[in-house]
Amino acid sequence: MQLKRHQKLSFSVKQAKAFDKYAREKLGIPSIILMENAGRDVAEEALRMLGKKKRVTVVCGVGNNGGDGFVAARHLINAGIKVSILIVGKLSKLKPGPKTNYNILKKMKAKFTKKIDGDLIIDALFGIGLNSSIREPYIRVIRAINNSGIRVLAVDVPSGLDADTGKPLEIAVRARKTVTFVAPKKGFSRAGKYCGKIVTKDIGITTRK
């Protein structure tokens, strides 16, 4: 039975992964379409946070969370925002979806950077799949984000946060707002100082029992 769109619920990491698998395998929605929808939703929230300001740094990992960040960066560029993209991790480890969106940005001659600045940071470093202690250079990058004094918009979950427990795995991004997908994650109720305001987007598919 389909749940009402605004019915309150939360997902564990296991449930979130199962729902993603359901969308891909049962409904036949390619992961790159889910990524496109997620990234567009993030860009829309970023534009709301920016107001009249124009500079954004998107911090991307090489997994699917980073792919969401690449999509968000493209939509923001198209909206006239000055976007810089900081990639943390080896490009050789980019998954297919993120790699496709990275290549689009390269062809668009997007700006890639090694520093964090601007009016807003989009945190697309790690997603819900993180389940081990964070190592360098990720600790250094998360610390730089937290010490920057710049507002942060987190993609799905603040990087470094255990989405089930709401506790940081060594260190976690402190976001002003978190755009999470399909449903809030179970740990969010105990992680207000990391998540900030939580905005839930359905990325084109609603939840089911």
Side-chain angles (χ1 to χ4, degrees), residues 20 24 29-39 64 67-68 71 74 95-102 104:
D20 184 70
R24 289 183 286 105
I29 304 175
S31 60
I32 199 163
I33 291 180
L34 297 173
M35 186 173 292
E36 179 69 23
N37 292 344
N64 287 335
D68 296 343
V71 173
R74 169 163 45 85
K95 294 182 177 180
K99 187 174 183 178
T100 294
N101 284 293
Y102 166 75
I104 293 170

Side-chain angles (χ1 to χ4, degrees), residues 190-209:
R190 299 181 291 276
K193 67 180 181 180
Y194 295 103
C195 296
K197 181 180 179 180
I198 298 167
V199 178
T200 304
K201 298 291 186 177
D202 62 25
I203 60 171
I205 179 172
T206 54
T207 52
R208 290 178 179 271
K209 285 185 177 178

Side-chain angles (χ1 to χ4, degrees), residues 157-208:
V157 59
S159 290
L161 190 74
D162 185 315
D164 280 337
T165 68
K167 296 180 180 179
L169 294 162
E170 187 75 27
I171 187 173
V173 166
R174 294 176 182 265
R176 179 72 62 88
K177 181 184 289 187
T178 297
V179 178
T180 197
F181 307 124
V182 182
K185 308 310 178 282
K186 285 192 177 296
F188 284 5
S189 62
R190 299 181 291 276
K193 67 180 181 180
Y194 295 103
C195 296
K197 181 180 179 180
I198 298 167
V199 178
T200 304
K201 298 291 186 177
D202 62 25
I203 60 171
I205 179 172
T206 54
T207 52
R208 290 178 179 271

Side-chain angles (χ1 to χ4, degrees), residues 101-119:
N101 284 293
Y102 166 75
N103 286 335
I104 293 170
L105 290 170
K106 291 283 285 185
K107 291 175 182 177
M108 291 174 64
K109 300 188 184 301
K111 179 183 177 182
F112 293 88
T113 186
K114 292 185 179 180
K115 63 180 181 178
I116 294 171
D117 59 14
D119 303 306

Side-chain angles (χ1 to χ4, degrees), residues 116-180:
I116 294 171
D117 59 14
D119 303 306
L120 180 71
I121 296 168
I122 295 178
D123 162 34
L125 193 56
F126 293 123
I128 61 172
L130 184 67
N131 58 11
S132 60
S133 295
I134 301 173
R135 296 173 292 181
E136 295 291 2
Y138 302 100
I139 291 175
R140 185 170 67 251
V141 172
I142 291 174
R143 187 172 290 124
I145 291 171
N146 288 342
N147 292 339
S148 68
I150 302 169
R151 293 177 301 163
V152 179
L153 173 63
V155 178
D156 204 20
V157 59
S159 290
L161 190 74
D162 185 315
D164 280 337
T165 68
K167 296 180 180 179
L169 294 162
E170 187 75 27
I171 187 173
V173 166
R174 294 176 182 265
R176 179 72 62 88
K177 181 184 289 187
T178 297
V179 178
T180 197

